[in-house]
Amino acid sequence: MNNKILFNLLQVMVVMAFSPLVKGVVDRLKELVQSRCGPSIFQPYLDIWKLFHKDEVVSEQSSWIFRFTPYMVFVTPIFVTLLIPVLTDYPLFFAFMGDMLGAGFILALGGFFATLSAVDTGNPYGPMGSSRTRMVGLLAEPVFMTVFFTVSFVAGSTIPYIVQKVWIMPLSNFFEPSHILTMIAFIMLIIAETGRIPVDNPSGHFELAMIDESKGLEYSGRGAALMKWGGSMKFFVLVSIFLNVLVTPWGLAQGNNLGEVLLAVPLILLKIFAFIIVLVVIESSFAKLRLFRIPEFLVAAFITSVAAMITRFL
Amino acid sequence: MIAQSMTPTLLTQLNALTGGLFLLSTFGVIAMRQVLGCLKMFILQSLFLASSALLLSYYHSSLHLLAVAAITLVVKPLLIPYLLRRTVGDKVTSRREISQVLNIPTSLLIAAGLTIFAYFIAKPLIAYSGAGGIIIGVNLPIGISALLLGAYALTVRREAVPQTIGILSMENGAFFAGISIASNLPFIAELSAAFDALIIALVMGILIRKIHERVGSTSVGEMKTLREV
């Protein structure tokens, strides 16, 4: 029992510690593909460190929501981390507090507060970007639901720890069409939800074209650091749900001792690195879609998830 | 012993996976905006068709399905796109935006509805299939839905090249369903079907080129009246 609580907290520590590294590696790899040198992979840590030591400027016109949001954005991925398998194969202490739908709701809560705070300050770019984010989120919702229902119906459960075992027992289940199609749909979902290239350019600095980044424009100092850190944790959490529940549930700790759990840390980082390479290839080979083409991208994801459902149940 | 009992399930799963990807690439034919994107999706679809034929030949251990797979591999993903691009010319195939009657999200949702419909009309047919039921149950509805989706692409597209690709993907769907239900189809029939598709592509390609030379566009949706010279 004590071990399970310990591992659960360790899981949170791992996500907090390594999520900026993942962001740094993505940025570096993208720059390398564009044959530029790129910042160090530890740059996000330095950014967060710098921002924590700067003064914070808060608009007089803003309400408590603006001050409260960074903490919300920072805390919600941590709550989700308690629910999902990051390091271990077996359910940990908080695993049964919520299922995958609950995790989706918690992440959506952070997004909701980010939207409110963007509207709060009266900066013209904030509401524009946040309404675009809402549009993308609204269209991504049916994909998430269909993927979620397909996966949990196949497994007969909505707890991610139970779902992950279904696809590899026996191994031929891995090649099931609904599994592969669900994977494709979920990759498209991650791209849309975390603002990656066919949908949004995460490294763009032009306010009129921003979708996801414009929510944090007004923040400075500690608030900005928490928003950045929370954003990279959200990415880490979504990727580890994708990898550990849907794609490769191998390499997770099965035993109950600390050594095995610690060994799972480099393995999950390795898997995420492999995923990042795929993501960088996707990001480098497509152009950013125009705003009104985004529904087409998400409808394609929806159709993929529906095809996964059809091939399984009809 | 274990290996023997594992192989059929792995094989049927792989067959189902090929079917699922075949269906996805058929959706891709409808979803693509560019002519070349459409053609690429057709190439993908034909590759999945060939790999399905390969898997089925292994499953039935039949040599002539292997020959069918080889012919499909040569004709559909390689020869037909090459011929279409040669005959039609770069001016038409490099068009980025092609006009449609419906916008892409709507037509994709209708396509999903068609697929579900195909599954329902295939259900009574599957009930008659005896021994090979596990393969037919997966492949027949996917083949029928690819047939319907090809016909649908034919109706919503307004340009000649995507319409040709619609016809060809219809043919692919029929072929996909055909090799799963009748694995002992006479070889000559399959050979002729493959060359039929080749001739379709060639004739359509030349026709499109002529239309493009005469009229200056290939949007056949707007050509409603005959004109005397």
Side-chain angles (χ1 to χ4, degrees), chain B residues 10-214:
Chain B
L10 184 62
L11 203 64
T12 48
Q13 293 285 29
L14 278 178
N15 174 60
L17 175 61
T18 328
L21 293 174
F22 181 83
L23 186 63
L24 194 64
S25 56
T26 315
F27 278 121
V29 169
I30 292 174
M32 281 293 150
R33 253 175 203 284
Q34 291 97 334
V35 174
L36 275 183
C38 235
L39 198 60
K40 270 177 200 153
M41 281 298 159
F42 170 73
I43 293 173
L44 264 184
Q45 194 199 27
S46 314
L47 283 177
F48 290 128
L49 177 66
S51 53
S52 163
L54 195 65
L55 283 172
L56 282 177
S57 83
Y58 184 71
Y59 184 79
H60 295 295
S61 43
S62 96
L63 204 60
H64 86 249
L65 270 178
L66 192 67
V68 167
I71 291 172
T72 312
L73 192 63
V74 173
V75 171
K76 280 178 177 160
L78 299 174
L79 219 51
I80 286 181
Y82 172 75
L83 272 180
L84 261 183
R85 287 186 73 165
R86 274 302 291 274
T87 52
V88 169
D90 281 344
K91 253 184 197 159
V92 180
T93 44
S94 59
R95 291 274 310 277
R96 289 187 65 83
E97 306 272 316
I98 47 183
S99 64
Q100 287 214 6
V101 180
L102 295 168
N103 64 3
I104 285 178
T106 319
S107 67
L108 271 176
L109 289 179
I110 293 173
L114 277 177
T115 311
I116 294 172
F117 176 67
Y119 268 83
F120 277 103
I121 56 174
K123 202 156 245 179
L125 297 176
I126 295 168
Y128 288 112
S129 69
I134 194 157
I135 295 272
I136 295 173
V138 171
N139 284 20
L140 182 63
I142 288 174
I144 292 177
S145 51
L147 191 74
L148 290 179
L149 293 181
Y152 177 67
L154 198 60
T155 44
V156 287
R157 298 283 191 185
R158 278 184 170 158
E159 302 264 338
V161 181
Q163 283 187 349
T164 313
I165 294 172
I167 292 180
L168 291 172
S169 71
M170 248 175 103
E171 206 273 331
N172 269 358
F175 212 72
F176 189 84
I179 55 174
S180 75
I181 47 177
S183 55
N184 302 320
L185 204 70
F187 184 58
I188 189 79
E190 279 163 4
L191 200 67
S192 68
F195 281 101
D196 208 26
L198 198 64
I199 299 298
I200 290 176
L202 192 62
V203 170
M204 293 294 247
I206 293 170
L207 191 65
I208 292 163
R209 191 193 187 98
K210 284 291 159 204
I211 291 175
H212 189 70
E213 276 171 11
R214 283 279 167 84

Side-chain angles (χ1 to χ4, degrees), chain A residues 46-261:
Chain A
L46 301 176
D47 283 347
I48 289 170
W49 180 258
K50 178 189 77 183
L51 284 170
F52 267 120
H53 289 83
K54 291 224 167 190
D55 283 339
E56 194 170 2
V57 182
V58 178
S59 160
E60 283 174 4
Q61 314 294 325
S62 63
S63 66
W64 61 273
I65 288 175
F66 185 78
R67 261 146 275 176
F68 185 60
T69 298
Y71 301 102
M72 210 63 197
V73 170
F74 182 70
V75 161
T76 45
I78 292 179
F79 277 132
V80 176
T81 312
L82 294 175
L83 305 177
I84 59 164
V86 177
L87 300 176
T88 57
D89 204 7
Y90 47 87
L92 291 174
F93 186 65
F94 289 104
F96 292 99
M97 298 283 277
D99 54 11
M100 288 198 283
L101 204 58
F105 280 144
I106 294 172
L107 281 181
L109 183 68
F112 173 69
F113 268 92
T115 306
L116 281 188
S117 82
V119 179
D120 194 27
T121 53
N123 171 3
Y125 296 118
M128 196 170 70
S130 62
S131 69
R132 288 174 182 171
T133 316
R134 286 300 98 198
M135 186 192 82
V136 173
L138 177 79
L139 293 166
E141 202 68 9
V143 187
F144 174 68
M145 287 296 175
T146 322
V147 165
F148 168 74
F149 285 136
T150 311
V151 163
S152 53
F153 194 82
V154 169
S157 165
T158 57
I159 303 290
Y161 285 97
I162 297 167
V163 170
Q164 63 169 347
K165 294 196 177 65
V166 174
W167 298 117
I168 53 164
M169 310 274 271
L171 193 64
S172 62
N173 273 6
F174 186 83
F175 296 103
E176 198 172 304
S178 59
H179 181 215
I180 305 287
L181 294 179
T182 307
M183 265 162 55
I184 297 172
F186 205 89
I187 288 184
M188 292 167 97
L189 192 67
I190 289 181
I191 287 171
E193 277 286 316
T194 57
R196 297 271 140 198
I197 252 181
V199 174
D200 183 16
N201 187 358
S203 52
H205 292 293
F206 179 51
E207 287 91 344
L208 280 176
M210 278 182 178
I211 296 181
D212 215 32
E213 294 287 303
S214 62
K215 290 182 297 186
L217 276 180
E218 283 285 291
Y219 283 99
S220 55
R222 194 198 300 148
L226 289 176
M227 292 288 272
K228 263 186 201 289
W229 201 349
S232 54
M233 278 200 295
K234 184 185 166 192
F235 180 67
F236 194 105
V237 162
L238 277 176
V239 171
S240 47
I241 290 179
F242 175 65
L243 290 174
N244 283 345
V245 180
L246 285 177
V247 188
T248 52
W250 299 289
L252 294 170
Q254 289 169 350
N256 206 3
N257 54 355
L258 190 63
E260 234 174 308
V261 177

